[in-house]
Amino acid sequence: MINIDFLVAGCNTHCRHCYVNGGPGPIMPVEDALMCIDKLDALAACLQDEVSFTLDHEPMNHPRIDQILSAAFRTAHIQNYHHGMTSGVGLMRREDRQQVIRTYFDCGYRDFGITIHGAPTHHDEITRRIGSYEAAVKAGEFLKSEGAELSVSLMLNHFFVEDADSISALLKQLHPNYVYFAIPIYTPHRNMPDFEPYRASLGDLESLRPYLAEWGQDESEILEKAQRGTIAYAVDRLAHGLDLPALFAENQEELYLSLHQDCKLYVGNSGSETHCMGDLRSLDLKAAAEVIAALPGNRDYGAFYDLAALPSENDLVRALSDLPQDTLYGDCPSVIYRGLHELKVPTRLMF
């Protein structure tokens, strides 16, 4: 599967844990966006794999998003993967927001989501934008009033213990159709260290036990998954024979590309690009398709490490053993990325 991160506009927030290089950015001219949709559709026709693109980072910032969305919906060979997440800022400052949402509905997209990082002050601190909590909540209320399916993603951090009652009150206020409970992962990205002071521990999660069912979560499932995302768990796996080079060499079934606002197409997710393929306006699509078809998957970011530079498992265990053992990283590979950061293992060239 191939997904192209199609950056039509920048984001309204600059979240500390963002692994896709969010934050304010330029708006792609509507003429370029429509041309790129046609080009990507033609590129997909040259590929055997299933191809999709995602209008990112915050498509509702684009003044002509309804026109772009309608064009994306009409493509013959490529689908618009609608992740639906919004900061709310771009949506709520639009006077035509009702028309925009109706366009989404007309194109078959009814699922939308907002992310909450805790109580208002803490949420705004992590998103690095004053007023972002209020905008997210107002967007959630507006989307519900328009008949959208609303999800709330709770992005776990160490503020959650003191903010738990505030989070419960918000969920009762919004009555979302679904609640996600997310533990921010660690990836080889320059933004990641900014989130480390806010990262939750297994002890924090234990303190939240009384709230998990109220937040629509399976307590035993979350705690079991969290255990597998601690430093202690990764150290134990490494100490008992986890083969690090084999882990990073595993085949991945998904390939990520990024299309920037300047129409340049890159290999890799936004913020973790490893190679520029060229300007889509002049790119030879058949030749590009041959290159893409030969590329390995890069879903879990392991593709960005040089296998020859990986340390021994013993060196990695020593680096991880100096860190708090109950810190939560979502999964074992994310913990290993954190250890490699401590050892300053070089990544391949990123643009």
Side-chain angles (χ1 to χ4, degrees), residues 25-270:
I27 302 291
M28 178 183 281
V30 64
E31 296 81 10
D32 283 348
L34 296 176
M35 177 274 300
C36 285
I37 288 171
D38 289 340
K39 292 273 190 175
L40 291 176
D41 196 33
L43 177 64
C46 300
L47 292 164
Q48 303 257 333
D49 298 290
E50 179 182 333
V51 185
S52 64
F53 55 67
T54 306
L55 299 178
D56 261 341
H57 293 300
E58 178 58 274
M60 293 177 188
N61 280 333
H62 201 292
R64 304 286 293 279
I65 187 56
D66 51 348
Q67 186 178 355
I68 294 170
L69 188 67
S70 296
F73 179 66
R74 293 194 298 267
T75 54
H77 305 286
I78 190 169
Q79 64 171 338
N80 174 28
Y81 174 74
H82 166 67
H83 62 56
M85 298 304 295
T86 176
S87 68
V89 178
L91 174 63
M92 297 313 295
R93 70 185 180 191
R94 297 186 71 114
E95 294 184 0
D96 65 343
R97 56 182 173 270
Q98 193 169 40
Q99 176 188 330
V100 167
I101 294 304
R102 288 295 152 192
T103 302
Y104 273 97
F105 287 178
D106 290 344
C107 293
Y109 310 125
R110 305 191 70 89
D111 298 322
F112 295 86
I114 60 172
T115 298
I116 296 298
H117 302 274
T121 302
H122 293 149
H123 176 97
D124 290 359
E125 181 177 345
I126 288 178
T127 62
R128 291 190 273 211
R129 179 170 182 134
I130 302 295
S132 63
Y133 178 90
E134 180 182 7
V137 174
K138 285 185 176 180
E141 292 175 331
F142 170 73
L143 289 163
K144 287 278 288 187
S145 71
E146 292 296 309
E149 298 283 309
L150 179 68
S151 64
V152 173
S153 180
L154 301 178
M155 195 66 69
L156 179 66
N157 57 75
H158 75 70
F159 291 134
F160 267 41
V161 176
E162 59 184 289
D163 292 348
D165 289 333
S166 174
I167 293 169
S168 292
L170 175 64
L171 294 178
K172 289 177 182 177
Q173 173 186 339
L174 291 178
H175 295 289
N177 301 90
Y178 195 82
V179 180
Y180 294 94
F181 191 84
I183 299 173
I185 59 175
Y186 191 97
T187 62
H189 190 287
R190 60 182 173 272
N191 292 345
M192 284 288 105
D194 285 349
F195 186 70
E196 291 309 284
Y198 300 89
R199 194 170 289 281
S201 69
L202 194 58
D204 292 330
L205 188 55
E206 289 283 353
S207 298
L208 293 171
R209 273 184 183 235
Y211 295 91
L212 294 178
E214 182 182 344
W215 296 348
Q217 307 303 308
D218 183 319
E219 176 185 323
S220 59
E221 180 182 358
I222 283 183
L223 290 171
E224 180 183 349
K225 287 183 177 179
Q227 291 277 1
R228 296 198 299 269
T230 62
I231 290 178
Y233 178 83
V235 167
D236 183 70
R237 284 198 65 191
L238 287 163
H240 287 84
L242 177 65
D243 187 336
L244 199 58
L247 177 67
F248 281 94
E250 286 181 359
N251 289 330
Q252 301 171 51
E253 295 180 352
E254 295 179 73
L255 173 66
Y256 278 77
L257 306 173
S258 297
L259 178 63
H260 289 207
Q261 289 97 320
D262 59 2
C263 299
K264 290 183 179 177
L265 184 65
Y266 292 83
V267 178
N269 206 346
S270 170

